[in-house]
Amino acid sequence: MTQELHEALGFKKDNVVQMLVETSGLDPDDNELTFPVGAVAIIDRIERLEGSQGIALTLAIEGKIVNVFDEGDGLPARKFFEPVLTERDDTKRPLTLTDVKGADTYTHAAFVHGEDSEGDHEVGDLQDLFRAAWDLMTEEQKVGFLFTDQAKAVLPAAHILTE
């Protein structure tokens, strides 16, 4: 019988980690994908398994494949992956799924990049992030975006919508 855990081996469910080894697996379409050292993953599940497998951590790697690392693989986990840390809140702590889901994480990163370099990096970063997010949207979401208050407030400045 398996037991779901919230944390183990210094990791918590929903922590963001960076891979220390090349990682391969099948995507949902059964295509074999390989990610290099440095790939980013999120801890999806932590379980105590029966037998020699012991503690198992399930990782969603780059949002494309899922791999399980267990004590039978020779954990400690830190030989396969390490936590991604953030100092955003003025304390060094693990980056979490909650951080990843927050738009402020990305706008803050663009702001800091602009402050640490030339100011136009902030605008360029935000444009790049917007385009990446746009590419992930469905056609319906793209059309629906027109009807947001934010889009209706900005588009008239370029004479795309008239007031």
Side-chain angles (χ1 to χ4, degrees):
M1 182 170 144
T2 65
Q3 174 191 8
E4 187 119 3
L5 304 171
H6 179 69
E7 62 183 289
L9 308 171
F11 294 95
K12 292 182 179 180
K13 181 182 179 329
D14 294 340
N15 279 171
V16 178
V17 297
Q18 190 167 33
M19 301 306 300
L20 300 174
V21 295
E22 184 177 89
T23 312
S24 298
L26 296 176
D27 71 6
D29 297 322
D30 285 334
N31 298 310
E32 179 79 17
L33 300 178
T34 301
F35 294 99
V37 170
V40 176
I42 298 173
I43 298 176
D44 182 59
R45 187 176 317 127
I46 302 174
E47 300 171 291
R48 183 182 311 282
L49 305 175
E50 293 182 4
S52 64
Q53 288 179 295
I55 304 252
L57 292 95
T58 302
L59 276 60
I61 302 168
E62 294 283 330
K64 307 255 189 235
I65 64 172
V66 174
N67 279 1
V68 178
F69 296 85
D70 61 56
E71 289 179 305
D73 292 326
L75 289 178
R78 292 181 195 275
K79 112 180 184 186
F80 298 107
F81 48 88
E82 64 186 359
V84 172
L85 301 177
T86 179
E87 294 182 28
R88 177 161 180 223
D89 306 321
D90 296 326
T91 59
K92 194 174 257 190
R93 64 170 178 80
L95 188 68
T96 66
L97 184 58
T98 300
D99 296 316
V100 170
K101 289 180 178 180
D104 288 343
T105 296
Y106 304 96
T107 57
H108 176 74
F111 170 77
V112 171
H113 189 207
E115 290 286 306
D116 290 348
S117 57
E118 299 174 26
D120 62 343
H121 281 271
E122 180 179 1
V123 172
D125 290 348
L126 291 170
Q127 289 172 339
D128 291 344
L129 289 166
F130 176 78
R131 286 186 187 100
W134 191 262
D135 288 344
L136 295 172
M137 293 168 64
T138 65
E139 294 302 313
E140 293 80 17
Q141 290 170 322
K142 290 175 183 177
V143 171
F145 189 74
L146 170 66
F147 304 110
T148 64
D149 291 340
Q150 294 84 350
K152 290 190 288 185
V154 171
L155 292 173
H159 306 293
I160 293 171
L161 286 179
T162 55
E163 296 185 70

